[in-house]
Amino acid sequence: MNDSGVKPRRILIVKLSAVGDVVHALPALNALRTCFPEATIGWVAHPGPASLLEGHPQLDYLYKFPRPRGVKEALSSVKNLRKALCDAGPWDVAIDFQGLTKSGLVSWLSGARQRIGFQGAASREVNALFMTTRVPTTAESVIHMNLQLLAPLGCHATEARAVLIAHEDDREYIRRWAEDFGFTGERFFVLDSFAGWETKRWPRARWVRVAAEVHKQYGLPTLLFHGPGEQEEAHQLAAEISDSGGTAVVAPKTTLRQYIALLEQHAALMAGGDTGPMHIAAALGIPTVALFGSSCSRRNAPAFSNARFEAIQDFSQPCAGTFWRKCSHHAPGHCMDGITEAEVLEAVARLLCS
């Protein structure tokens, strides 16, 4: 129920990007569907992360809002989104999990009379101007901050469950890959050594030694996940791991949903930085080692209810917790130098031997 005691019938979620942030908001979707099983629920997201939500069983509408390139394209995108939201019928409430000017604008475009957003530091730029209800959150974890945004609706959720889906054609794509390369039934140490921010990358040589040791101790070959433009570097990393006594193969090119299917069928362990692929793995309950550089593990740790994870961060570094994309204190890719290979392997042991 909302502040007036009326159950909302039409709820719009606004979380535009990025992939990990959308995964962080999935427990709020699950809570809304649990609290209001008869409600119509929509979601506005940028096209990339929106692919996680296509055909989602807890959603009724999905709106893809392109990232505009220039003023003319921005005005066209806003006009098209406004029409699509209005054509679907009036929205009772919009919940802005992004906390930015653009997400506030999207919430306002929905026409919802109640627009719920963050109060305090999580409300950035001029987002507050678009909100009718601002919620002071007390949780340190962003996943639980998102759940606290539901309080004005009378939805007080504690379970942080993210529902992630792969379609049958996604699973079939992975099955065919496994059959073609002789990996049917094989379980891997899935490694995502890449990140869009240089402040979220761990030195490659350390991943090489960790992968070799994981193979030696646990018999797990490494499966190297990669995104667009990263395949060549992934092949180089595979060769270095093999030269160091490990076994490594490069994962097939995948969409996000195919990546979910890949994890479901082949992951025994996952490791990576603070990225979408890491959060997806943790949300699926796969043992996950998460390394943090300039972002904050207290805020961004994958604290899903079913997650088995170890978060590692060196808070003595001046960039830790700043969320800097570029660092003035370290050379590119060296913000996590304070994290040792021994720490990572100890985390692996706790996850696999517990």
Side-chain angles (χ1 to χ4, degrees):
M1 295 184 183
N2 58 22
D3 292 335
S4 62
V6 179
K7 287 185 177 181
R9 293 175 299 173
R10 297 177 60 80
I11 304 168
L12 183 68
I13 293 172
V14 181
K15 187 67 171 180
L16 305 175
S17 62
V19 173
D21 296 324
V22 166
V23 178
H24 287 162
L26 284 173
L29 169 62
N30 183 67
L32 286 169
R33 182 51 73 199
T34 301
C35 290
F36 309 111
E38 303 303 320
T40 296
I41 303 178
W43 192 313
V44 184
H46 288 320
S51 63
L52 277 175
L53 305 170
E54 291 173 339
H56 197 288
Q58 295 177 326
L59 274 181
D60 300 292
Y61 291 94
L62 174 61
Y63 302 95
K64 297 180 182 180
F65 183 45
R67 295 178 184 271
R69 299 174 183 173
V71 175
K72 185 177 180 180
E73 187 174 319
L75 292 173
S76 176
S77 295
V78 167
K79 180 180 177 181
N80 293 337
L81 179 62
R82 170 73 170 175
K83 183 179 185 303
L85 290 171
C86 290
D87 287 349
W91 297 95
D92 297 322
V93 58
I95 310 173
D96 183 354
F97 295 97
Q98 197 89 40
L100 298 175
T101 299
K102 64 179 179 179
S103 57
L105 175 62
V106 169
S107 301
W108 178 77
L109 288 172
S110 72
R113 290 188 175 183
Q114 185 177 22
R115 299 183 295 277
I116 301 172
F118 292 109
Q119 178 178 307
S123 175
R124 291 162 287 170
E125 303 170 349
V126 296
N127 176 265
L129 297 179
F130 297 99
M131 300 297 110
T132 63
T133 304
R134 299 179 65 202
V135 180
T137 57
T138 57
E140 194 168 28
S141 160
V142 67
I143 294 171
H144 290 89
M145 286 171 61
N146 290 337
L147 290 174
Q148 289 180 342
L149 272 192
L150 311 183
L153 301 178
C155 183
H156 301 282
T158 57
E159 182 188 30
R161 176 173 176 257
V163 175
L164 288 159
I165 61 163
H167 300 167
E168 184 52 37
D169 58 336
D170 303 315
R171 297 187 180 95
E172 180 58 26
Y173 174 81
I174 297 302
R175 281 195 290 266
R176 288 200 305 270
W177 166 78
E179 290 171 0
D180 289 346
F181 290 91
F183 297 138
T184 301
E186 184 77 75
R187 289 284 170 173
F188 293 91
F189 166 38
V190 179
L191 172 59
D192 179 19
S193 66
F194 302 102
W197 297 12
E198 63 188 36
T199 54
K200 293 184 176 184
R201 296 190 68 164
W202 201 42
R204 190 163 84 178
R206 300 191 187 187
W207 281 127
V208 168
R209 291 188 287 269
V210 164
E213 195 63 26
V214 167
H215 183 254
K216 177 182 177 181
Q217 292 188 29
Y218 307 101
L220 290 174
T222 299
L223 182 63
L224 296 168
F225 175 77
H226 57 90
E230 297 168 343
Q231 190 173 28
E232 182 178 347
E233 188 175 346
H235 280 287
Q236 293 171 359
L237 181 56
E240 291 171 17
I241 292 171
S242 297
D243 289 344
S244 297
T247 300
V249 296
V250 176
K253 292 182 180 179
T254 62
T255 64
L256 289 173
R257 291 201 314 271
Q258 289 167 347
Y259 172 66
I260 291 170
L262 180 70
L263 292 174
E264 289 176 337
Q265 296 178 33
H266 293 287
L269 172 71
M270 195 277 175
D274 182 15
T275 64
M278 180 276 289
H279 290 287
I280 290 171
L284 291 170
I286 293 161
T288 299
V289 181
L291 277 60
F292 290 82
S294 73
S295 58
C296 180
S297 57
R298 299 185 184 112
R299 180 188 186 274
N300 280 19
F304 305 98
S305 294
N306 64 324
R308 296 174 55 208
F309 72 92
E310 292 277 340
I312 307 175
Q313 183 161 22
D314 178 9
F315 279 104
S316 71
Q317 298 300 317
C319 54
T322 62
F323 288 89
W324 291 342
R325 292 172 180 255
K326 295 183 180 295
C327 181
S328 59
H329 298 279
H330 300 96
H334 289 276
C335 288
M336 295 196 289
D337 281 5
I339 298 174
T340 67
E341 296 157 36
E343 286 179 284
V344 174
L345 289 169
E346 287 166 7
V348 169
R350 287 191 293 270
L351 288 167
L352 295 184
C353 300
S354 60

